[in-house]
Amino acid sequence: MDNSLDHEFANYTTCHGASRIANAKNRPHMALWTLIFLGAFGLCTWQIADRFQNYFAYRANTEIDLNLESELTFPAVTICNFNRIRKSAATPNDLEYLDAAFYLPTLVDHPELLFLTLFSIDWDAFNASTELLQDFAGYVRRNGFVLDNDSLVECTWQGRECFINNFTHVFTPYGNCWTFNSDKVSPLKQSSPGAGNGLKLTLDILTHEYTENPITGNLEYGLLFQVHDQHEPPRVELVGTAVAPGSHTYANTFQTKYKNQPTPWGQCDPKKSHNFLSYYEQYTLPGCLLECRAAIVAAECDCRPMYYPGTLEYCTPLNLTACVLPTLSTFLRENNEFEACGCTVPCEYTAYSSQVSYAGYPSVQAAQFYETNFNFSSGYMRNN
């Protein structure tokens, strides 16, 4: 009875291979149709499994749209000097104090030994200024790189003169930096490309004011700049572009707007948008990382470096050397910063990139013009 039912099922099923096997006239025919049936069944199973795998891989397509816009938002431009403290503004005792404070970490690696070494030194013997000891951020703000009539020689925006009050101050690891077009609400717009339709600056880096110690400070001299979105804090120490003195630098800037997908197709988190961060209005990856580092330093050192956001008091030079720098070094060595901080890419953000080219400067005529009008010699311009 069972055999007849199996034979009947094989004859009437829409799975044609089964009927061929059941009605085979001899064993070779049965073996052949069995192999064909099993091969087709295996191929079908593989295709079904492959489709399931493909579906649960959450593959995403990248769509790139090139649009011709009538005008674009001009980026914020942050400018820093490699020199953090001006020679004319600091006393020799202050400079010796800073050199000693930041030189010791190059000699002692172990955090506990460094701490003991720092506090075994009679720092009062340096006779550093009270301002430096009690308000290091204020000291740098007043005695560091400043934009004034000496350093800002010329400034034009779209052919119109711009001034010192068009720049806002910001702290970075390079001390004082200055940002043009930092207004988040109504930033400047640019409707035509070209050097004459953007920002043009002539800056004097004042090399005679340099106090950088080659062991503890910067070996270079010149400027650093970064173009970035107004909502994004500058990270000049990571993505800044160096500009050598005595050169004419052209920076072609490109704007790219990104829209990322949330999980499982991407890594952005829709919850991280406006007001997610404590000290920045809009969520950005640099802002998230800066707040994370600030929290780590605050927990260990009970202060914050001048270039980190927060409400704690600013760290003193000895705080930076004894606690902040070792704490950050240990954290970055032992952790993946992005994973440890939980910082993911924003779902939407605007990025700027620059393509830099250089030209000789000044020309003979330009040198004569600056010597006549600004009393700058050719040699001074080459070095500044």
Side-chain angles (χ1 to χ4, degrees), residues 231-250:
H231 294 278
E232 180 179 305
R235 302 296 303 275
V236 184
E237 72 280 10
L238 297 181
V239 294
T241 301
V243 177
S247 64
H248 196 161
T249 304
Y250 294 88

Side-chain angles (χ1 to χ4, degrees), residues 350-363:
T350 301
Y352 293 89
S353 59
S354 295
Q355 189 176 59
V356 179
S357 59
Y358 299 91
Y361 186 83
S363 65

